Amino acid sequence: MKITVFNGSPAGADSATNVIASAFLRGAERTGAETHNIFLSEKNVKQCCGCFACWFKTPGRCILNDDMPELIKLYNSSDIVCFATPVYTWNMTALMKNFVDRLAPLKSPKITEQNGDFDLADTKAKTQKFVVISNCGFPGENNFKVMKAVFECCSPCLEIYRNCGKLLKSQNPSVSPAVCEYLNAVEQAGFEMAQKLDVSEETRIKLQMPLMSVMEYVKFLGM
C-alpha cells in the first residue's frame, strides 16, 4: 500500500494543513504502508501553457522541463492519492491548482459521456483512491462549498474538511485537548484507509467534531 499526500499550502511543512496530513499518514504508517508527503511549494512545477503537446505531439508527456515527471510517476504508482490544501478565496491554492492543471498528460483528446456528463478519457484507467484534506481559518462549513464541488470530479472516498483551522497550531493549553482528540480521529482515518480503503461511520463522525464554538473562535482570533 502506497499513500501520497500532495500538499498545496505555500507554508509547506509548517502549514496547519500539514498538521492534518501528517496525522493521516501516521495512521497509515501503523499498517506498514509506504507514505510520501510532498510539499508542492518545494517543487519546480511550471504553469501549464495550454499547448496540448501532451495530447498530440508527445502523448502522455509534457514538453515543459521541471519536476512534474517524478510527481506524475508517484501519483500513478500510489494506491491512495491525497490532495491537501488550505482554502484560499473559497478554493484550492494556486500551487494546488497549478499541479492539478499539469496532470493533463493523464488525459487523452477523446470525449466520453456518462449520464449526460462529458469529460476527457483517461489515458489509462485510474486504480487509485482519492482523499481530500482541506483546512480553513474561518468558522463554518460554507467556505468549503467550492472545494467540495471541484473535488467531486475525482469522486473522493474520503473528504476531511477542518474549519477553525487556526487552532491546529495553537500552543494554548485550553485548546490542546480538542485538537488532540481531533487529530487522533484523523490518524484513525489514515489507519482505516490504509487497511481497508474505507473509513468507518464512527470515524467519519469524529472527523466533523467542533474544536470550539463560533463565538469562542471569533474571540480567539481577535476579530
Side-chain angles (χ1 to χ4, degrees):
M1 175 67 69
K2 180 189 288 189
I3 302 177
T4 301
V5 170
F6 293 99
N7 187 325
S9 173
D14 293 328
S15 66
T17 302
N18 187 46
V19 173
I20 307 172
S22 293
F24 183 82
L25 292 179
R26 283 197 303 272
E29 289 164 359
R30 282 165 40 202
T31 71
E34 175 186 345
T35 65
H36 299 268
N37 198 0
I38 305 300
F39 301 106
L40 297 176
S41 61
E42 299 175 359
K43 299 297 181 178
N44 175 26
V45 179
K46 298 175 183 177
Q47 290 184 340
C48 175
C49 56
C51 67
F52 302 112
C54 62
W55 293 354
F56 301 107
K57 293 183 179 179
T58 56
R61 181 173 59 84
C62 181
I63 61 171
L64 297 176
N65 183 24
D66 57 13
D67 292 337
M68 274 307 292
E70 67 178 68
L71 297 181
I72 285 183
K73 183 178 180 180
L74 188 55
Y75 177 97
N76 280 331
S77 64
S78 297
D79 300 291
I80 298 174
V81 169
C82 177
F83 298 105
T85 174
V87 175
Y88 274 28
T89 319
W90 309 294
N91 206 337
M92 67 181 76
T93 63
L95 279 171
M96 179 60 75
K97 182 60 168 64
N98 190 46
F99 171 71
V100 172
D101 285 347
R102 290 291 306 283
L103 295 177
L106 301 180
K107 292 288 187 178
S108 63
K110 180 180 178 181
I111 294 178
T112 62
E113 183 271 335
Q114 186 174 13
N115 300 322
D117 294 328
F118 295 88
D119 198 357
L120 292 172
D122 296 319
T123 54
K124 64 178 182 178
K126 291 187 177 74
T127 57
Q128 63 268 73
K129 298 287 186 179
F130 295 96
V131 172
V132 176
I133 291 175
S134 186
N135 157 66
C136 182
F138 288 92
E141 292 300 307
N142 62 300
N143 294 287
F144 298 110
K145 286 182 179 179
V146 173
M147 196 81 70
K148 290 178 181 180
V150 169
F151 281 112
E152 183 181 0
C153 301
C154 70
S155 301
C157 58
L158 177 65
E159 296 172 272
I160 302 176
Y161 296 111
R162 179 68 272 165
N163 57 24
C164 301
K166 291 289 186 180
L167 299 175
L168 294 172
K169 296 181 66 178
S170 173
Q171 301 300 312
N172 190 323
S174 66
V175 171
S176 297
V179 171
C180 184
E181 182 181 357
Y182 169 71
L183 292 178
N184 284 341
V186 175
E187 185 171 329
Q188 180 62 24
F191 176 83
E192 293 177 16
M193 278 298 301
Q195 190 176 59
K196 55 185 181 181
L197 293 177
D198 198 7
V199 174
S200 67
E201 186 62 26
E202 179 183 1
T203 299
R204 288 178 187 270
I205 291 173
K206 288 180 179 178
L207 291 174
Q208 299 175 24
M209 65 171 284
L211 299 181
M212 185 179 282
S213 73
V214 173
M215 293 304 296
E216 288 176 317
Y217 187 62
V218 171
K219 184 177 180 180
F220 172 84
L221 292 178
M223 299 175 73

